[in-house]
Amino acid sequence: MNSKLDNLLNFHQTALSLSTARQQMLSSNIANADTPNFKAKDIDFSSVLRDALSTNSKTAGMTTTSPMHIRPGSGNIASTQTLYRVPQQPSADGNTVDMDTERTRFAENSIKYDASLTFVSGQIKNLLSVIQER
Amino acid sequence: MSLINIFDIASSSMAAQSQRLNVVASNLANADSATSSTGEAYRSRQVVFSTIQNANKNPGGVKVAGVINDPSPMKQVFEPGHPLANEDGYVTMPNVNIVDEMVNMMSASRSYQNSVDMMNTTKNLLQKTLSIGQ
């Protein structure tokens, strides 16, 4: 019974936690807009979401065949698929943060987070209305 | 990994930018100070930013790594009647570049506003998260 509830909410729950991780990355980019040699980071949201849903695990597992093999750290799947942003303009101090790109992505990610919240809320309300049906 | 970390990142950015504004104000105020309590002319100061490295590789904010003296040469102004003129008639004046300081001030205030916007957006998202299902 619990797994049916998990399956219903799984997609939007995964999308929410990935959105949270991406929001942190984008806010770190905006905060470091003046730091010399800082490279802006981001994730490819749709491919990371697909990976997270297919494996349904929180870590990017690697098969190890020997106890001497190194296991990846227990960071979540977004931190293992971080990409660097390609800068549109050269910069004298090596900083690749482009403020309008970062602000746009931040706003877009906020809206997607909001949308996932609305959908999850809608699903829970549906469940509640079914439970309370007389 | 949660949206709460974004408050740390944004507040670190606001603190760093306000320190930068502080240094700009000090430079502008002392742009004509031919002498000081140490007997020398005022030397322009600049802040150095660096990224905060978190232990678990999460994206980090920004901190002021140090406030350094500007290495550019001091201005020598020919003014033989000045009480501080040396034997050639030159007075050592501060190496404050007014245009640089105004640009620094504009950049710092924009970054500060961006951090405030980030904080407001994150606060709204968190409040909506708290009201899931209601």
Side-chain angles (χ1 to χ4, degrees):
Chain A
M1 175 92 79
N2 264 344
S3 71
K4 280 195 182 166
L5 198 56
D6 277 346
N7 292 344
L8 175 68
L9 298 175
N10 186 36
F11 177 80
H12 287 298
Q13 178 194 333
T14 317
L16 272 179
S17 37
L18 275 183
S19 280
T20 307
R22 189 174 184 217
Q23 196 82 329
Q24 273 198 274
M25 237 177 269
L26 293 175
S27 66
S28 171
N29 288 349
I30 294 178
N32 280 295
D34 295 319
T35 314
N37 279 323
F38 179 81
K39 310 297 175 199
K41 301 195 180 86
D42 198 358
I43 56 173
D44 183 8
F45 193 78
S46 38
S47 66
V48 177
L49 182 60
R50 202 176 309 129
D51 283 345
L53 286 174
S54 61
T55 64
N56 207 19
S57 72
K58 290 281 179 289
T59 65
M62 286 200 280
T63 30
T64 54
T65 51
S66 142
M68 307 281 283
H69 280 172
I70 301 175
R71 291 179 183 282
S74 63
N76 74 4
I77 198 166
S79 60
T80 57
Q81 300 200 18
T82 307
L83 308 166
Y84 286 107
R85 195 172 312 282
V86 177
Q88 289 170 345
Q89 305 170 18
S91 136
D93 59 354
N95 183 301
T96 66
V97 173
D98 193 10
M99 192 51 91
D100 48 357
T101 313
E102 302 300 329
R103 288 302 307 264
T104 314
R105 300 270 162 268
F106 190 82
E108 174 196 336
N109 197 40
S110 307
I111 294 196
K112 286 188 180 159
Y113 184 90
D114 207 357
S116 292
L117 276 182
T118 312
F119 293 143
V120 158
S121 256
Q123 284 172 329
I124 294 183
K125 283 195 192 129
N126 280 346
L127 284 174
L128 283 176
S129 79
V130 164
I131 291 172
Q132 290 166 357
E133 197 68 28
R134 288 186 189 88
Chain B
M1 267 289 193
S2 87
L3 289 179
I4 299 276
N5 293 341
I6 300 189
F7 285 124
D8 285 337
I9 298 178
S11 71
S12 77
S13 165
M14 283 160 70
Q17 298 296 343
S18 75
Q19 254 184 294
R20 184 181 178 196
L21 268 180
N22 221 331
V23 167
V24 164
S26 171
N27 285 345
L28 283 178
N30 285 302
D32 286 326
S33 304
T35 183
S36 65
S37 55
T38 63
E40 294 183 348
Y42 177 83
R43 203 169 266 286
S44 164
R45 294 164 78 71
Q46 307 287 337
V47 286
V48 176
F49 285 154
S50 81
T51 311
I52 298 178
Q53 300 293 344
N54 283 326
N56 49 358
K57 303 275 198 303
N58 278 345
V62 65
K63 71 172 188 277
V64 173
V67 183
I68 58 169
N69 283 332
D70 196 337
S72 54
M74 307 287 279
K75 278 196 301 201
Q76 305 284 345
V77 178
F78 184 70
E79 215 175 317
H82 200 277
L84 294 169
N86 60 9
E87 60 268 10
D88 295 328
Y90 283 99
V91 183
T92 309
M93 294 295 272
N95 55 349
V96 173
N97 187 341
I98 304 282
V99 175
D100 272 353
E101 301 302 328
M102 294 303 285
V103 168
N104 262 339
M105 178 178 77
M106 290 195 293
S107 168
S109 66
R110 278 277 165 252
S111 294
Y112 193 92
Q113 285 167 6
N114 279 334
S115 301
V116 172
D117 283 342
M118 255 191 334
M119 236 188 234
N120 282 336
T121 308
T122 311
K123 183 199 74 168
N124 288 338
L125 287 179
L126 276 173
Q127 279 175 336
K128 288 210 182 107
T129 313
L130 284 175
S131 61
I132 282 186
Q134 287 164 13

